[in-house]
Amino acid sequence: MAGGWTRDGAVQDQIDDSVADAVLAARASMPSGTSEPFCAICGDDIPEGRRRALPGVRTCVTCQSGRDRPPAATFNRRGSKDSQLR
């Protein structure tokens, strides 16, 4: 697909660059270094397999799952038809 002055494939190049940037950002935010033997939140043991798989891990699976969970959805008053009628 050509778009004005751009060459064919330029859109795909932008998509590829965006994906590559997102992967690099995700890798940079991953923990590194030595892993903790005990969870920093609850104090439970962190299994050896988890410590080997994720160098620098500080939390157990249960606590990390709670941290990764998105916040509860709140009521969107702008999207509510009731608020638009008032």
Side-chain angles (χ1 to χ4, degrees), residues 2-83:
W5 296 101
T6 62
R7 64 174 179 73
D8 288 345
V11 173
Q12 186 61 45
D13 290 343
Q14 288 178 340
I15 293 170
D16 293 342
D17 290 342
S18 296
V19 170
D21 290 344
V23 168
L24 290 174
R27 286 183 179 162
S29 68
M30 290 179 66
S32 61
T34 57
S35 298
E36 296 292 328
F38 303 102
C39 178
I41 297 174
C42 69
D44 286 348
D45 290 336
I46 298 175
E48 179 66 28
R50 177 169 170 78
R51 289 184 286 170
R52 274 185 281 145
L54 294 169
V57 71
R58 306 269 187 257
T59 56
C60 65
V61 173
T62 305
C63 293
Q64 188 64 44
S65 296
R67 293 175 72 187
D68 290 344
R69 187 173 299 125
T74 57
F75 187 73
N76 182 2
R77 291 200 50 86
R78 288 186 183 172
S80 171
K81 290 185 179 182
D82 291 338
S83 67

